[in-house]
Amino acid sequence: MTADSNSRTIIALGLEGSANKLGVGIVKHVYPDGIPADAELRPEMIELANVRDTYNPPPGEGFLPRDVAAHHRSTIIDLLHQAMEEAQITHKDLDCICYTKGPGMGAPLQAVALVARTLAQLWEIPLVGTNHCVGHVEMGRAITGADNPIVLYVSGGNTQVIAYSQQTYRIFGETLDIAIGNCLDRFARVLKLPNDPSPGYNIEQYAKRGTKYIELPYTVKGMDVSFSGILSFIERIAKNEPEKYAPEDLCYSLQETMFEMLVEITERAMAHIGSREVMVVGGVGCNVRLQEMMGQMAKERGGKVFATDMRYCIDNGVMIAQAGALAFARGFSTPIEDSWVTQRFRTDQVHVEWRT
């Protein structure tokens, strides 16, 4: 049974700017037999545009919210024009405008939401506030074809082990303090590594040259992890004993220890729900070593790991358009008066109405 007897197409614009990556993406969802009323939505997803620009502070420095927001304000219109040209459409072809409602950094979120709100009113197009974390999950599902995996979401601001149940992405485990990406970024500053293309990527390259494993604090508490202790420890030895520990060995040891913590809690979640699939999403999910370790664990359990490349692991506008278009197909939209942003918007607060 369908809600629409004819073919239905939804074209969505996605605006992402929750951290230092600014992304504009456009997707086209095709429902050949119309949008089903009582079944999971599985449209044909066609990517029309995926453009991105990154704010990179000098080596050894982090990024301040006000500076990131200024970057987004100065760049977003050019990116928008670029995406529309790449997609070969005009605003008249759009069905909805999706933006990141949260979580993320306050000032950058506000800068992008202001643009989304303005475009929605100028073009008289519905607005769809989207959860950043759910965007990563839905983009991963669309690209990899994973059916119902355990999701490891690892980024600069989030570290979560997620499983789907009853129209909710439920969090089985998470960090108790800082995210794994934040830990990597902060240690990269200690080593004065460049921020281009990302601190985590540069740590990964150093780690590939490491040969000596240094024992570091390993903190797993049930299904949760903690990274603040390992960061304090490795910062101290890097600063106080530089002649004893090579940067390459420190990066190698940091990666191996933290990734093993993630493998442990992910495997426990797989065992709990009986899943044989793992999908790794988020910026840290680009790390090849993490994918290898997760893949080895999954193989030993008779399963497999799903991952995406840097086009989709790293924050992008397409993932916001993807999740937003699915919600829009189920009749969801955000009134202008409710188009605020929030730095705290948990994955399990979203009603995933497009799944059964």
Side-chain angles (χ1 to χ4, degrees), residues 70-318:
H71 165 267
H72 291 359
R73 286 193 295 269
S74 65
T75 309
I76 192 167
I77 299 303
D78 289 340
L79 278 188
L80 182 62
H81 285 306
Q82 184 181 340
M84 300 288 270
E85 290 174 6
E86 188 175 307
Q88 297 184 332
I89 64 170
T90 70
H91 70 273
K92 296 179 181 179
D93 299 305
L94 294 173
D95 292 289
C96 60
I97 296 173
C98 313
Y99 75 98
T100 303
K101 193 176 186 70
M105 303 170 68
L109 282 171
Q110 290 173 351
V112 176
L114 175 61
V115 173
R117 192 181 303 122
T118 302
L119 294 178
Q121 293 178 92
L122 283 174
W123 295 343
E124 298 182 339
I125 299 173
L127 195 61
V128 180
T130 305
N131 181 284
H132 178 89
C133 314
V134 172
H136 274 296
V137 175
E138 291 301 339
M139 198 67 221
R141 292 180 66 229
I143 296 298
T144 66
D147 182 33
N148 190 29
I150 287 290
V151 180
L152 175 64
Y153 172 34
V154 279
S155 69
N158 298 276
T159 301
Q160 298 175 349
V161 176
I162 302 164
Y164 174 79
S165 176
Q166 299 180 329
Q167 296 192 315
T168 303
Y169 285 117
R170 303 187 183 275
I171 300 172
F172 272 57
E174 59 190 320
T175 177
L176 295 172
D177 37 54
I178 60 174
I180 187 169
N182 184 250
C183 182
L184 292 168
D185 290 352
R186 287 166 65 175
F187 186 59
R189 283 181 232 162
V190 173
L191 298 181
K192 296 289 192 289
L193 298 184
N195 288 305
D196 187 20
S198 72
Y201 175 83
N202 292 319
I203 281 186
E204 180 183 2
Q205 305 319 305
Y206 267 58
K208 290 176 181 177
R209 302 193 296 270
T211 57
K212 178 184 176 183
Y213 179 77
I214 303 161
E215 188 171 348
L216 300 173
Y218 184 100
T219 310
V220 173
K221 299 182 178 181
M223 282 298 297
D224 298 324
V225 293
S226 172
F227 298 121
S228 59
I230 190 172
L231 176 62
S232 298
F233 183 89
I234 200 169
E235 281 183 339
R236 188 178 74 247
I237 64 174
K239 292 176 180 177
N240 297 342
E241 304 176 80
E243 69 290 339
K244 185 177 179 180
Y245 301 107
E248 292 81 0
D249 291 336
L250 290 171
C251 292
Y252 165 71
S253 303
L254 182 63
Q255 276 198 171
E256 293 295 306
T257 305
M258 294 199 300
F259 292 171
E260 180 54 39
M261 292 161 61
L262 296 177
V263 169
E264 178 183 334
I265 62 173
T266 302
E267 183 174 19
R268 194 174 292 128
M270 291 176 70
H272 182 77
I273 71 167
S275 174
R276 292 188 175 183
E277 295 182 341
V278 181
M279 184 173 72
V280 185
V281 300
V284 181
C286 296
N287 190 293
V288 175
R289 179 55 182 155
L290 175 59
Q291 294 178 14
E292 288 176 352
M293 293 174 68
M294 203 61 65
Q296 181 179 348
M297 178 272 290
K299 184 178 179 181
E300 291 173 356
R301 299 185 61 85
K304 63 185 299 187
V305 66
F306 296 86
T308 60
D309 58 30
M310 294 182 73
R311 291 173 298 169
Y312 307 110
C313 270
I314 297 172
D315 293 350
N316 59 85
V318 176

